[in-house]
Amino acid sequence: MRLISWNVNGLRACMKKGFLDFCREAEADVLCLQETKLQAGQVDLAEELPGYRTYWNYAEKKGYSGTAVFSKAEPLSVAYGFGEDIHRHEGRVITAEYPGFYLVCCYTPNAQDGLKRIDYRMAWEDDFRAYLQALDREKPVVLCGDLNVAHQEIDLKNPGPNRGNAGFSDQERGKMTALLESGFTDTFRLLHPEEAGAYSWWSYRFHARENNAGWRIDYFIVSRRLAERVKKAEILSQVMGSDHCPVLLELAV
């Protein structure tokens, strides 16, 4: 099974930069998107991507956040959002149930400059981890998306100057450690434990992508008991169209 996750940083803008061509060439069984920045009815992909069923979670705020799941097979069920009402206004989570696992597409809240939103981010992390653990008690979980954290120093180009900044604060990194220690596996590090220079996001400033001065903040994370089924975990850094690139997971059926 071939799964792809991509923060498109505005789907309508990405569609002008080759998004549909990528989808057709990628031949993913499931494609998960983050930061679609859409409202209902603004995009209809039924004709352009006829092989997929599409599921959307929109933020209440226009032009902000949002997630989507495109699936060739019809899921057994689809749920939008999770947990308490506080987490349900920004369109950040879609959970699609398949016979063998739950697929969770997630766009984690950014802690923002100066860690202005770190308190909410920490509450989100604890509640979201509990949600994933509850799913995992029923069947294995595949979590994907822009999780807005570079876990280890190897996961960003300049760890020293960024220590304590949003996405590389001790608090956020600690929550990722807690998630992994609760029974989950980072699939890219499973197959590429020592690979440096592997990033999925680059700032639009300072020629960051040209210089590969990036961060690995987009993930496929699976329940530990699925780890033996991971055949491929790649970062598709050659794919343009967003400040993020897609990430890929192939699971043995």
Side-chain angles (χ1 to χ4, degrees):
M1 191 173 191
R2 183 177 176 89
L3 304 101
I4 291 175
S5 176
W6 192 6
N7 179 322
V8 292
N9 191 18
L11 182 56
R12 286 176 294 176
C14 194
M15 287 175 68
K16 298 175 182 178
K17 303 174 185 177
F19 172 79
L20 292 173
D21 289 337
F22 168 76
C23 291
R24 296 177 186 120
E25 294 167 4
E27 297 183 335
D29 295 297
V30 184
L31 176 65
C32 296
L33 307 180
Q34 302 88 44
E35 208 171 357
T36 55
K37 298 183 180 179
L38 294 175
Q39 296 296 303
Q42 288 187 302
V43 168
D44 182 2
L45 297 177
E47 292 186 7
E48 289 88 349
L49 299 174
Y52 290 95
R53 301 170 186 269
T54 58
Y55 306 90
W56 306 85
N57 194 4
Y58 306 105
E60 293 176 6
K61 179 180 177 181
K62 292 182 178 180
Y64 180 73
S65 189
T67 47
V69 172
F70 302 171
S71 180
K72 288 185 175 178
E74 183 177 5
L76 300 176
S77 66
V78 178
Y80 302 92
F82 81 98
E84 300 297 323
D85 180 72
I86 191 173
H87 301 313
R88 291 182 172 271
H89 297 276
E90 298 181 354
R92 292 185 177 275
V93 173
I94 300 175
T95 302
E97 180 185 2
Y98 294 92
F101 59 90
Y102 286 105
L103 174 67
V104 182
C105 171
C106 176
Y107 178 38
T108 299
N110 193 302
Q112 299 184 354
D113 289 345
L115 302 183
K116 288 182 293 187
R117 211 182 186 196
I118 193 67
D119 290 343
Y120 175 65
R121 171 66 179 268
M122 294 296 97
W124 165 285
E125 292 283 357
D126 290 339
D127 293 347
F128 189 57
R129 184 174 66 256
Y131 173 68
L132 296 175
Q133 290 174 304
L135 292 177
D136 188 50
R137 288 193 287 271
E138 297 183 21
K139 62 175 67 174
V141 173
V142 176
L143 164 66
C144 70
D146 174 1
L147 303 187
N148 260 317
V149 60
H151 185 215
Q152 304 291 350
E153 290 192 354
I154 195 175
D155 294 317
L156 71 167
K157 178 70 172 181
N158 297 304
N162 282 294
R163 177 79 180 270
N165 290 341
F168 198 60
S169 68
D170 292 348
Q171 301 98 306
E172 293 162 299
R173 295 170 65 195
K175 294 299 185 183
M176 174 61 83
T177 297
L179 174 62
L180 297 177
E181 290 180 347
S182 71
F184 295 90
T185 297
D186 176 350
T187 61
F188 184 80
R189 283 292 166 227
L190 175 68
L191 298 187
H192 310 274
E194 304 297 332
E195 184 174 338
Y199 309 128
S200 65
W201 173 79
W202 303 262
S203 170
Y204 280 133
R205 298 179 294 172
F206 311 122
H207 303 283
R209 191 158 189 173
E210 180 182 328
N211 297 322
N212 198 30
W215 301 48
R216 188 176 73 93
I217 59 175
D218 300 88
Y219 295 81
F220 271 101
I221 289 173
V222 302
S223 295
R224 200 165 292 159
R225 60 192 186 278
L226 283 182
E228 63 184 14
R229 291 173 52 189
V230 174
K231 298 302 179 185
K232 183 183 290 186
E234 302 290 345
I235 299 174
L236 307 181
S237 56
Q238 77 281 4
V239 178
M240 309 300 285
S242 170
D243 52 349
H244 296 249
C245 72
V247 292
L248 175 146
L249 174 68
E250 288 189 3
L251 282 178
V253 178

